[in-house]
Amino acid sequence: MNAYMPSTTFFVLLSPFIAALFAPALTRLFKHNAAWLLAIVPAAIFWHFSTFLPDVANGEVVTGGYQWIPAFRVNFSWLIDGLSLTFALLISGIGALIVLYSGGYLKSHPHLGRFFSFILMFMGSMLGLVTSDSFLMFFVFWELTSITSFLLIGFDHKREASRRAALQALVVTGGGGLFLLAGLLLIWNVTGISEMSLLLRSHTALADSPFYIAIFVLVLGGAFTKSAQFPLHFWLPNAMEAPTPVSAYLHSATMVKAGVYLLMRLNPVLGDTVAWETVLPIFGGTTLIVGTLLAIRQTDMKLMLAYTTVSSLGLLVMLTGFGSEKAVEAAVLYLVAHSMFKGALFMVAGAIDHEAGSRDITKVGGLMASMPIIFAAAFASAFSMAGLPPFFGFLAKEEIYAGLWHVEAWPLLLTLVAIVGNGLMFVIGFAVALKPFLGEKKAPGDHPHDGPVLLWLGPAVLAICSLVTALFSELTHHYISSPMSTAVEGEAVSVHISIIPHIGMPLYLSLVTIAFGVVAYRNVDRLRAAMTRLLDAIGWGPDQGFDQFIRGTVRLSFRVTQVVQPGRLEIYMKATFILLAIAVMVPMIVFDELPAMPKMPEYLSLYETAIMAIAAVGLLSVLYAKDRLTAIVSLGIQGFAVALIFMLFGAPDLSFTQFMVETLSVVILALVMTRLKLTPTDHRSVGKTAIDLIISVVCATAFVLLLLSVTQLPFDASLSDFFTRYSLSIAHGANIVNVILVDFRGTDTWGEIAVVMVAGLAILSLIRIRLRPAVPIATNDPSEEERR
Amino acid sequence: MTLLVGVFFAVAIYLFLSKHIIRILLGAAILGNAVNLLIFTSGRLTREVPPILSPDDPVSNVVITANPLPQALILTAIVISFSFFAFLLVLGFRAYQELETDDTEEMRFAEPEDQEMPPLGY
Amino acid sequence: MIDTAALLEAAILVSLTLLCLSFVLTVFRVIRGPTLPDRILALDMLVATAIGFIAVIGIKTGYTLYVDIAIALGLVGFLATVAFARFVLARGNTGDEEPSIASSGEVEKKDG
Amino acid sequence: MRTLIFRTVAPYLSSLMVLFSVFVLLRGHNEPGGGFIGGLIAASAFAIYGIACGVSPVRRALFFHPMAIAGSGLMMASIAGLVSILAGVPFMTGLWVYIPIFGEELALSTVLLFDVGVYFVVVGAITSIALALEERATD
Amino acid sequence: MASSEKTPVDLSAAMITEPAALADWLVIAPLVLCMVLGSLLLMVRKDTRLQPFIAIPGLAVLVLLDVGLLVHVIVNGPVTMTMGRWLPPFGISFTVDILGALLCLTAGIAAFAGGLYGAGDVNDSGRRYGFYPFLFLMMAGVSGAFLTGDIFNLYVWFEVLLISSFGLLILGSERGQIDGATKYAFLNLVATTLFLIATGYLYGIFGTLNMADIAQKAPAMTDKAPLVTLVSLYLLAFGMKAAAFPANFWLPASYHTPRVVVSALFAGLLTKVGVYALMRVTLMLFPAERDVLGFVIAIIAAATMIIGAMGALAQTDFRRLLGYLVISGIGIMFAGIALASPSGVAGTIFYAVHSMIVMTALYLASGLAARAAGGFSIASSSGVYSSHVFLAAITLMLFFAVSGLPPFSGFWPKVILVKASLDVGAWWLAGAILLSGFLTTIAVGRVWILSYWRPAMTGGPAQDEAVTLNPLVDYLPLVLLTALVVIVGIFPQQILELSQTGSDQVLNPVDYIRSVFPQGGEQ
Amino acid sequence: MDSFLAIIIALMIVIGSAFTFVAALGLIRLPDVYTRMHAASKAGTVGSGVVLIALGIEAGDTGTLTRALAGVAFFLLTAPISAHLLAKASYAVGYRLSELSVVDEMPKRGDRTNSTGE
Amino acid sequence: MRLFLINMLLALTWAAVTGFFTILNLAFGFFLGAFVLYLIREQVGSVGYFSRARRIASLFVLFLYELAMSAIRVAIMVLSPKMNLKPGIFAYRLEVDRDFEITLLANMITLTPGTLSVDVSEDKKFLYVHAIDCSDLEATRKDIADGFERKILEAFR
Ligand code: NA
Ligand code: NA
């Protein structure tokens, strides 16, 4: 890892972002045909990553990268093993198809360029996510996928549903991201390792760490939100507000699998524990069942597919958590299969919507003749989804049952869950793939057909892939499945399943599934009605829960803010001074910094006492003044008294200034008050008076105690001695105070006069700038206006 | 002296707790004095020996005078608090003109009483 | 020959006492009022007393530089009284204890 | 407030006060006083002038807007600090020159310039406030 | 220079005898420039057309000087210039370390953006009554506060920036402004007065005001003097200044009332000075006492960030929302002060830089958005995304930045702070940082979907006429700041390194002290 | 110090303070603001003036003495003006004379157009 | 006024010649200058200058005397156990008509026993004076007319 060599991988990882920069311009030039140009980027990425296949198949792990933030020990480093390579290939391969498909689907959209830009950025983020070695780089890309998907879901920003779905996705996945961040940082803290590759190699027993549960929960928080596990699944179907290419790409093939990727990635270090093998299957299984049941209820093809995506993710999580080697293999196979068939089916749904004008399976039908290629792709993908040979889905299904089956309560339960889930997915796959094409022809739009090549190329290629990968399963396993399973399992694994059925338990279970599926398919309308009734009876779901969460948070915040920021200066002041009392009193008492009992009061001569008494009288008179002028004049009294005190204690300059300032204060008070008609005294209720009195007395006592405590210390007068010594000899001034002001500490005075000047200007602007037309100023001089 | 500082603070803070701008202003003026006296006391007190040397005789001049540094600091503080006082006074005056009140309870223009809940939709 | 220092000290003590008494009386007038001009007058008087006080302290301590303070105080004290007189003129005699011989309506008109 | 008596005396009074203020300013380095107090006295002088004779005469008398005077004061003080760059010493170092006039030495210093700057700032700012208030009060 | 010195005095006992290097003038240069230009602009106050032509190049020079100063400090370590060449601690020393120089530069950049934006945003009367002089004097206050090494002098610069901010706040004299200014002014007056009081006590205890001197003397006084109480008082004073909960009242009451550019400058500059001062006092001067109060600061930090984020969620007005985000950010900065670990403090410094830039930019953006959408209310304004997509793009980046999402500038300091919190087992503090980020995301996300994405309402002001924005004065400052946000987000190494060095210098001020007392300790 | 001067000074400060005290007493005892003004503007001014001159003498340098004299002159110039302004303002806004008053020849608001400033 | 300026100039010259600009030296120069002017009074027409100076001095002496009397009388009045007051405001018809003179008169009246100038009528014909003792207004008026007003007229006409 120390030898950071320049590498094409680095530029490959950056290339989608660079392409995103140019996408709008290209689209302006070439219209939707820019898709062909832009698709070169993912294609090239695909090609680049496929060159790693032989090495990775041989069990090598390719790492590389650069120092990014050495100060924080964060690298821009990548890790290419079976897991990340498979993901990278899926992302770039399907990505290329999606870019093309987008060109057709959004052919005349005014913001197609922007769309390309977003989707390329997303692709780059996803690619970065799966190839990241460094934790923080991983997290950066993780959040980038949330951000870009926010933009894509809200692409159709004029509809409220889109905006809501976008925010929902951002909140759920962004919130989950924070858990993930905490989890990753905790791992970093516990192990001192911040790179996946090192973590996987280190054999540090995270599982034995006291922080294991915390890490586990935090990582799951990230994974489950991103991968839409029940009960946080709701954002994913809502994300179908995005244009269909987005749904096909993000919400089936790639982003939603980021959570699964994370679980798979960390399986070697976090797995093999009771928590892992209990929690994951429970959440996964529940999500599987709930997802399929909710899918049954839908008639919108996209939504049906979206809910089955939820269930598929549940299945993947369940398998990953199950813990056996076979289950991991099954998860790997199913993940690949799902990416292909689900991407294709979404594109099919989009194509039908685009051509026939509706995605509602009850509103379209009989399109087989007019859209033969699309139909073929749909049909093939549905076969794969249903787990029927000779498609890749079949291999996955066989392996699932092989992995789960075990004559024990827990595996049996999970097997049952898998059967029900798969059976229902079988139903939906065929509902989407058959209903629009069979039966009598009906379509709201006019002249549906396969449309431009951009529109059908994607589903067709993916359908073919489903077939080819299954037919040449040995190759697939050699290059894809085995390396990936090895990575997930953390030790060498090889996959062998092929489309030639082997007699055994998995086959029987598959047959059971198919039988269940066929029965269910025939009763799909009844099932749908039942589900609708059930959900109506429950009447509440996490989706509404989201609205309630947002509203509740806003309302709570509003109430809290009203309490802490009530808008009344009086309360602010009161709080401030209570804080003051606390800030001084509490530490003084707690840390025993109270002063010693003061000695006998310092000697005061008669007139000193008199002056101080006058000051006090002036103060009290300010308090109790019946009218404003008395208060002002009393203010003058205490000011004069202070000036006299200064004089008595050897501070003529202070006294001088204090006299001047105090008088001027009183003068401007009088000048200003001239125009005000105010109630002079404030009427506080007895209780309020008491509280205010207590606050002020406590604060004052605090200050007095602290002052006593300070003055009881020996004093270091070296500064003043210095000033006294050099005031005349070097600074040529006999008045030490003035010399301090203009020489020793002239910079203070410099700032001080700036204050005076600014205060003057501020007051001038306060007086002069008035919104209401000012009364013309009495002046005889027309040039006066100029001067102001 | 220390006690007097306390009285100054108590009165100033009590005035600050009023809901009338004008009273708070008076409080601000007194607070300034309170702080000055505090710094003055904090720098220790000396009676009646101003820190002024005799220009004719610079050598024998190193006598014990009142501590000049706190005086300089207080001078700066006086000037600053005077500037602030003047500004606040005019501000209060303008507030009275524009808002037609000096009661802070009624001064609710920046943060109105009936603040609306932000929109809850999307 | 009398002890001049003691004499001066005694004189200073007497005058400081007198001045302090004056302060007290004047402060009383400020607080008592009853009218606005009374208070202003008392403040004016306060300034005068303070000038005397400064001068006496100057004599007591031997720091004659206090004379400038006294002068300056006289100057701004004058300004204060002027400003207050203005204030009285502009405000009318509202808010005092004493009734007025001129009707307040007239006063209002004049301020205009 | 523009009574005959006051109006007649005020200009003389004000000029006396300004004179006194300059005295206080120049003497501040050795005895109580200095730029700030001097400035306050001068500002009081202009305030009295303004109250007695109206704002316009004061503005005409000052010629520059008071705030511009304040600005120039701050500028002066800053320049007083900056001069030391020429002498290769840190900011705000007091530099003294003695110019012999009639046998006496006239001491000029950056410190004095600084104090004059303080004086101008205070005169400008406070006068500006006073005049603005006076105008406002009379409208 | 003729001298009529009659009695020879040993100058070297009182003064620094070696001449000041020209490079050391950089220490004071930003401040001098601001003061001189501020006063110059005041003198030509009435020539409102001339003002921007002096001010904007002046601010550009300020930024250059700040850059020069930062480089100087990076190369040579903390630099000191003692005013009047009096030996420290007798003269006022300006001592600049990385922390001061970095924040000073950031402030300069924010001010430059604000000054540029102000050329379009501030009307004639605003200029006539001192927008630019106020701006420069405020920058003088801010720069002075960051650069000075003397605690009383710090107080003076606090006051300079405070009074200038008053001036900026009331330019316009609208009712809301006056009301906001009243609360702002009185509460801030209390805050700075507390600062002064604390400094008075401090002088009474130590007999010195030079920060390096205090830092030297503090350990010996820990057991003798009431230092915890003193630090607690400072904490309150600077906490108020920084608008930390529960002393944050003044900020939401006022920040939304002035001109947008003024809010922007405030958001960028003012509260951070409070944070800076708190760092200086608690971390450098009184580390032992800070340790005692660490838990309290941590609670304040957590409460501030959560209350701030919740406040943002509760707002209808975009600008008020931003005000609460400022507060939330303060909480995050406080977290590092509470931790006081090298990485925690580095996070605080980094976050301060981020916050200064991003909050300034957000306010500027909010002003443009309000022009485009016809107001600040997220309830009634909408359609910015459709009408001004470039502005929307910039705003969105800023939103993500302020939420702490990658790859923008807010991300790294947050991660560093979360990690630093976890390092010491303060999981709840880490949780608070993350939670506040989460709430912030919701808050700004809502603004985005309502004001930006939501289509313009029929009959709304945005539809009546296309609002055109000037690319030079309106967009350029915003683009500049946003570019910084993105660049710092993608290439955080430089800033992070600086923050770490700055953090080390503050936590272990040996170099700082040596720069003030080259002979090692005072006479 | 010259004992003669000392006696003079002692006398002056006592007399001055006494005058001031009398003025303060007058402030208390006299019945209305107008009569009180007599006390304040005469006894008060003379009182502080005398003490100030005493200070000037005590200083023993001409500069201080001339300043003290100038100060006194200044008080003598300002005291009547402030009394005049205050009296005029008080009268103008209707503070009435004490009930003891025997004569009031001031023209009332209605029948004069005197310069009331502003 | 011209002569006064010449006198000042002479004083300055004196100071310049002697080399120090102290107040004392200037004052000395002033008196010296006045003396010189006196010597040449026939030629430069400075006779009036000196007689006016004498009359102003006389006014000043009167004023100081009255001031002292005033303070003492107020003191006596205040200190007397039973104050016998007959206060009031009376109008005084002015002889002088120049602003400067009116002002001077008004101020002097204020500083003298028992009287206090309250206002001047708009047409500058009347001075309204508050007096503590209004038992004999005619006598008071006569005192003013024969005292200050006459002296003022003498000094400045
Ligand atoms: Na000063
Ligand atoms: Na001074």
Side-chain angles (χ1 to χ4, degrees), chain A residues 9 74 85 109 115 155 165 200-201 224 249 283 345 370 433 453 520 536 619 637 667 695 756 764 778 788:
Chain A
T9 305
V74 173
L85 183 59
H109 196 285
F115 183 82
F155 189 73
L200 293 172
R201 242 185 292 157
F224 281 7
Y249 192 42
F283 273 92
L345 283 173
S370 50
V453 59
D536 285 349
L619 287 173
I637 293 176
V667 166
I695 295 174
V756 175
L764 186 69
R788 250 155 237 152

mmCIF file of all heavy atoms in Angstrom, chain A residues 9 74 85 109 115 155 165 200-201 224 249 283 345 370 433 453 520 536 619 637 667 695 756 764 778 788:
data_model
loop_
_atom_site.group_PDB
_atom_site.id
_atom_site.type_symbol
_atom_site.label_atom_id
_atom_site.label_comp_id
_atom_site.label_asym_id
_atom_site.label_seq_id
_atom_site.Cartn_x
_atom_site.Cartn_y
_atom_site.Cartn_z
ATOM 1 N N THR A 9 -6.852 2.933 -12.923
ATOM 2 C CA THR A 9 -8.054 2.756 -12.116
ATOM 3 C C THR A 9 -8.509 4.089 -11.523
ATOM 4 O O THR A 9 -9.705 4.374 -11.467
ATOM 5 C CB THR A 9 -7.771 1.753 -10.984
ATOM 6 O OG1 THR A 9 -7.288 0.552 -11.575
ATOM 7 C CG2 THR A 9 -9.020 1.475 -10.186
ATOM 8 N N VAL A 74 -6.180 9.348 5.634
ATOM 9 C CA VAL A 74 -7.229 8.918 4.719
ATOM 10 C C VAL A 74 -6.620 8.831 3.328
ATOM 11 O O VAL A 74 -5.956 9.752 2.878
ATOM 12 C CB VAL A 74 -8.405 9.907 4.709
ATOM 13 C CG1 VAL A 74 -9.400 9.523 3.638
ATOM 14 C CG2 VAL A 74 -9.067 9.934 6.070
ATOM 15 N N LEU A 85 -15.401 -6.423 -7.602
ATOM 16 C CA LEU A 85 -15.306 -6.529 -9.058
ATOM 17 C C LEU A 85 -16.667 -6.859 -9.658
ATOM 18 O O LEU A 85 -17.083 -6.255 -10.653
ATOM 19 C CB LEU A 85 -14.277 -7.593 -9.426
ATOM 20 C CG LEU A 85 -14.027 -7.741 -10.919
ATOM 21 C CD1 LEU A 85 -13.533 -6.430 -11.506
ATOM 22 C CD2 LEU A 85 -13.015 -8.842 -11.196
ATOM 23 N N HIS A 109 -36.973 15.189 -23.440
ATOM 24 C CA HIS A 109 -37.057 15.915 -22.159
ATOM 25 C C HIS A 109 -36.137 17.148 -22.202
ATOM 26 O O HIS A 109 -34.995 17.055 -22.642
ATOM 27 C CB HIS A 109 -36.636 14.988 -21.016
ATOM 28 C CG HIS A 109 -37.057 15.502 -19.670
ATOM 29 N ND1 HIS A 109 -36.414 16.540 -19.057
ATOM 30 C CD2 HIS A 109 -38.048 15.118 -18.837
ATOM 31 C CE1 HIS A 109 -36.994 16.785 -17.889
ATOM 32 N NE2 HIS A 109 -37.999 15.923 -17.741
ATOM 33 N N PHE A 115 -30.033 15.247 -16.747
ATOM 34 C CA PHE A 115 -30.311 13.886 -16.304
ATOM 35 C C PHE A 115 -29.096 12.995 -16.500
ATOM 36 O O PHE A 115 -28.697 12.247 -15.610
ATOM 37 C CB PHE A 115 -31.511 13.327 -17.073
ATOM 38 C CG PHE A 115 -31.897 11.955 -16.628
ATOM 39 C CD1 PHE A 115 -32.683 11.768 -15.513
ATOM 40 C CD2 PHE A 115 -31.440 10.831 -17.325
ATOM 41 C CE1 PHE A 115 -33.019 10.495 -15.098
ATOM 42 C CE2 PHE A 115 -31.771 9.566 -16.907
ATOM 43 C CZ PHE A 115 -32.564 9.390 -15.794
ATOM 44 N N PHE A 155 -36.062 14.424 -9.797
ATOM 45 C CA PHE A 155 -35.826 14.992 -11.117
ATOM 46 C C PHE A 155 -37.083 15.650 -11.669
ATOM 47 O O PHE A 155 -37.046 16.710 -12.264
ATOM 48 C CB PHE A 155 -35.341 13.893 -12.073
ATOM 49 C CG PHE A 155 -34.875 14.432 -13.391
ATOM 50 C CD1 PHE A 155 -33.668 15.111 -13.480
ATOM 51 C CD2 PHE A 155 -35.643 14.287 -14.533
ATOM 52 C CE1 PHE A 155 -33.239 15.634 -14.679
ATOM 53 C CE2 PHE A 155 -35.218 14.808 -15.743
ATOM 54 C CZ PHE A 155 -34.017 15.483 -15.813
ATOM 55 N N ALA A 165 -40.791 12.091 -2.185
ATOM 56 C CA ALA A 165 -40.012 10.856 -2.267
ATOM 57 C C ALA A 165 -38.522 11.167 -2.172
ATOM 58 O O ALA A 165 -37.766 10.430 -1.525
ATOM 59 C CB ALA A 165 -40.323 10.137 -3.565
ATOM 60 N N LEU A 200 -9.784 -6.731 6.680
ATOM 61 C CA LEU A 200 -10.094 -8.106 6.333
ATOM 62 C C LEU A 200 -8.891 -9.016 6.597
ATOM 63 O O LEU A 200 -9.043 -10.172 6.939
ATOM 64 C CB LEU A 200 -10.491 -8.193 4.852
ATOM 65 C CG LEU A 200 -11.810 -7.493 4.513
ATOM 66 C CD1 LEU A 200 -12.042 -7.453 3.021
ATOM 67 C CD2 LEU A 200 -12.973 -8.190 5.211
ATOM 68 N N ARG A 201 -7.706 -8.465 6.439
ATOM 69 C CA ARG A 201 -6.510 -9.273 6.611
ATOM 70 C C ARG A 201 -6.065 -9.373 8.069
ATOM 71 O O ARG A 201 -5.284 -10.234 8.425
ATOM 72 C CB ARG A 201 -5.374 -8.649 5.786
ATOM 73 C CG ARG A 201 -4.852 -9.580 4.700
ATOM 74 C CD ARG A 201 -3.656 -8.959 4.010
ATOM 75 N NE ARG A 201 -4.043 -7.791 3.226
ATOM 76 C CZ ARG A 201 -3.193 -6.823 2.890
ATOM 77 N NH1 ARG A 201 -1.939 -6.855 3.273
ATOM 78 N NH2 ARG A 201 -3.609 -5.801 2.157
ATOM 79 N N PHE A 224 -29.252 -1.259 6.573
ATOM 80 C CA PHE A 224 -30.692 -1.518 6.469
ATOM 81 C C PHE A 224 -31.436 -0.352 5.835
ATOM 82 O O PHE A 224 -32.414 -0.542 5.116
ATOM 83 C CB PHE A 224 -31.275 -1.810 7.860
ATOM 84 C CG PHE A 224 -31.010 -3.222 8.320
ATOM 85 C CD1 PHE A 224 -30.189 -4.048 7.564
ATOM 86 C CD2 PHE A 224 -31.575 -3.716 9.481
ATOM 87 C CE1 PHE A 224 -29.937 -5.350 7.980
ATOM 88 C CE2 PHE A 224 -31.337 -5.016 9.891
ATOM 89 C CZ PHE A 224 -30.507 -5.833 9.152
ATOM 90 N N TYR A 249 -32.056 1.439 -12.574
ATOM 91 C CA TYR A 249 -30.632 1.419 -12.252
ATOM 92 C C TYR A 249 -30.391 1.472 -10.750
ATOM 93 O O TYR A 249 -29.828 0.545 -10.158
ATOM 94 C CB TYR A 249 -29.974 2.612 -12.942
ATOM 95 C CG TYR A 249 -28.469 2.576 -12.936
ATOM 96 C CD1 TYR A 249 -27.784 1.390 -13.191
ATOM 97 C CD2 TYR A 249 -27.734 3.713 -12.705
ATOM 98 C CE1 TYR A 249 -26.405 1.357 -13.203
ATOM 99 C CE2 TYR A 249 -26.354 3.695 -12.717
ATOM 100 C CZ TYR A 249 -25.688 2.510 -12.957
ATOM 101 O OH TYR A 249 -24.325 2.485 -12.968
ATOM 102 N N PHE A 283 -34.675 -9.673 10.126
ATOM 103 C CA PHE A 283 -35.060 -8.494 9.350
ATOM 104 C C PHE A 283 -35.212 -8.844 7.873
ATOM 105 O O PHE A 283 -36.152 -8.423 7.219
ATOM 106 C CB PHE A 283 -34.016 -7.385 9.538
ATOM 107 C CG PHE A 283 -34.280 -6.525 10.732
ATOM 108 C CD1 PHE A 283 -33.719 -6.812 11.959
ATOM 109 C CD2 PHE A 283 -35.133 -5.431 10.626
ATOM 110 C CE1 PHE A 283 -33.985 -6.041 13.063
ATOM 111 C CE2 PHE A 283 -35.391 -4.644 11.734
ATOM 112 C CZ PHE A 283 -34.816 -4.950 12.966
ATOM 113 N N LEU A 345 -36.606 -5.838 -16.220
ATOM 114 C CA LEU A 345 -38.051 -5.697 -16.034
ATOM 115 C C LEU A 345 -38.446 -4.234 -15.845
ATOM 116 O O LEU A 345 -39.484 -3.792 -16.345
ATOM 117 C CB LEU A 345 -38.511 -6.537 -14.840
ATOM 118 C CG LEU A 345 -38.606 -8.045 -15.130
ATOM 119 C CD1 LEU A 345 -38.908 -8.814 -13.861
ATOM 120 C CD2 LEU A 345 -39.659 -8.323 -16.202
ATOM 121 N N SER A 370 -47.270 -6.121 -30.961
ATOM 122 C CA SER A 370 -46.667 -4.852 -31.363
ATOM 123 C C SER A 370 -45.304 -4.623 -30.721
ATOM 124 O O SER A 370 -44.518 -3.833 -31.202
ATOM 125 C CB SER A 370 -47.613 -3.692 -31.028
ATOM 126 O OG SER A 370 -48.040 -3.802 -29.681
ATOM 127 N N ALA A 433 -44.598 -9.593 -16.573
ATOM 128 C CA ALA A 433 -44.093 -10.005 -17.875
ATOM 129 C C ALA A 433 -45.186 -10.509 -18.797
ATOM 130 O O ALA A 433 -45.022 -10.486 -20.015
ATOM 131 C CB ALA A 433 -43.018 -11.073 -17.683
ATOM 132 N N VAL A 453 -34.172 1.804 -30.928
ATOM 133 C CA VAL A 453 -33.249 0.808 -30.412
ATOM 134 C C VAL A 453 -32.809 1.153 -28.998
ATOM 135 O O VAL A 453 -32.595 0.278 -28.169
ATOM 136 C CB VAL A 453 -32.048 0.674 -31.371
ATOM 137 C CG1 VAL A 453 -31.324 2.005 -31.528
ATOM 138 C CG2 VAL A 453 -31.069 -0.387 -30.891
ATOM 139 N N ALA A 520 -50.917 -19.295 -6.776
ATOM 140 C CA ALA A 520 -51.090 -17.897 -6.377
ATOM 141 C C ALA A 520 -51.369 -17.027 -7.595
ATOM 142 O O ALA A 520 -52.186 -16.102 -7.537
ATOM 143 C CB ALA A 520 -49.839 -17.411 -5.648
ATOM 144 N N ASP A 536 -55.895 -1.813 4.558
ATOM 145 C CA ASP A 536 -56.874 -0.798 4.966
ATOM 146 C C ASP A 536 -57.216 -0.965 6.435
ATOM 147 O O ASP A 536 -57.409 0.010 7.153
ATOM 148 C CB ASP A 536 -58.141 -0.914 4.107
ATOM 149 C CG ASP A 536 -57.907 -0.350 2.722
ATOM 150 O OD1 ASP A 536 -56.846 0.302 2.541
ATOM 151 O OD2 ASP A 536 -58.747 -0.555 1.829
ATOM 152 N N LEU A 619 -27.812 55.826 43.198
ATOM 153 C CA LEU A 619 -28.210 54.572 42.574
ATOM 154 C C LEU A 619 -29.645 54.203 42.940
ATOM 155 O O LEU A 619 -30.469 53.878 42.083
ATOM 156 C CB LEU A 619 -27.276 53.454 43.022
ATOM 157 C CG LEU A 619 -25.879 53.484 42.417
ATOM 158 C CD1 LEU A 619 -25.009 52.426 43.069
ATOM 159 C CD2 LEU A 619 -25.962 53.237 40.931
ATOM 160 N N ILE A 637 -25.955 61.964 39.484
ATOM 161 C CA ILE A 637 -25.412 61.987 40.847
ATOM 162 C C ILE A 637 -24.433 60.838 41.049
ATOM 163 O O ILE A 637 -23.299 61.031 41.486
ATOM 164 C CB ILE A 637 -26.547 61.894 41.879
ATOM 165 C CG1 ILE A 637 -27.395 63.164 41.818
ATOM 166 C CG2 ILE A 637 -25.979 61.698 43.281
ATOM 167 C CD1 ILE A 637 -28.586 63.130 42.731
ATOM 168 N N VAL A 667 -26.555 64.790 29.271
ATOM 169 C CA VAL A 667 -27.002 65.748 28.271
ATOM 170 C C VAL A 667 -27.687 65.055 27.114
ATOM 171 O O VAL A 667 -28.806 65.406 26.721
ATOM 172 C CB VAL A 667 -25.800 66.576 27.756
ATOM 173 C CG1 VAL A 667 -26.171 67.319 26.494
ATOM 174 C CG2 VAL A 667 -25.345 67.538 28.819
ATOM 175 N N ILE A 695 -32.148 37.842 41.663
ATOM 176 C CA ILE A 695 -31.159 37.654 40.596
ATOM 177 C C ILE A 695 -30.069 38.701 40.705
ATOM 178 O O ILE A 695 -28.869 38.392 40.694
ATOM 179 C CB ILE A 695 -31.830 37.736 39.219
ATOM 180 C CG1 ILE A 695 -32.802 36.580 39.024
ATOM 181 C CG2 ILE A 695 -30.779 37.702 38.115
ATOM 182 C CD1 ILE A 695 -33.609 36.673 37.757
ATOM 183 N N VAL A 756 -15.300 55.003 18.979
ATOM 184 C CA VAL A 756 -15.970 56.302 19.063
ATOM 185 C C VAL A 756 -16.431 56.743 17.678
ATOM 186 O O VAL A 756 -17.582 57.158 17.485
ATOM 187 C CB VAL A 756 -15.014 57.356 19.664
ATOM 188 C CG1 VAL A 756 -15.661 58.722 19.637
ATOM 189 C CG2 VAL A 756 -14.630 56.981 21.075
ATOM 190 N N LEU A 764 -25.409 58.534 13.601
ATOM 191 C CA LEU A 764 -25.831 59.402 12.501
ATOM 192 C C LEU A 764 -26.770 58.654 11.559
ATOM 193 O O LEU A 764 -27.836 59.160 11.187
ATOM 194 C CB LEU A 764 -24.599 59.887 11.739
ATOM 195 C CG LEU A 764 -24.876 60.912 10.663
ATOM 196 C CD1 LEU A 764 -25.294 62.222 11.285
ATOM 197 C CD2 LEU A 764 -23.651 61.118 9.785
ATOM 198 N N ALA A 778 -35.485 72.095 9.724
ATOM 199 C CA ALA A 778 -35.530 73.539 9.700
ATOM 200 C C ALA A 778 -34.176 74.086 9.297
ATOM 201 O O ALA A 778 -33.196 73.966 10.022
ATOM 202 C CB ALA A 778 -35.909 74.067 11.072
ATOM 203 N N ARG A 788 -24.960 67.052 4.531
ATOM 204 C CA ARG A 788 -25.282 66.011 5.474
ATOM 205 C C ARG A 788 -24.627 64.705 5.118
ATOM 206 O O ARG A 788 -24.741 64.212 4.062
ATOM 207 C CB ARG A 788 -26.798 65.840 5.507
ATOM 208 C CG ARG A 788 -27.296 66.340 6.821
ATOM 209 C CD ARG A 788 -28.713 66.764 6.753
ATOM 210 N NE ARG A 788 -28.786 68.140 7.183
ATOM 211 C CZ ARG A 788 -29.702 68.968 6.774
ATOM 212 N NH1 ARG A 788 -30.599 68.579 5.914
ATOM 213 N NH2 ARG A 788 -29.713 70.190 7.217
#
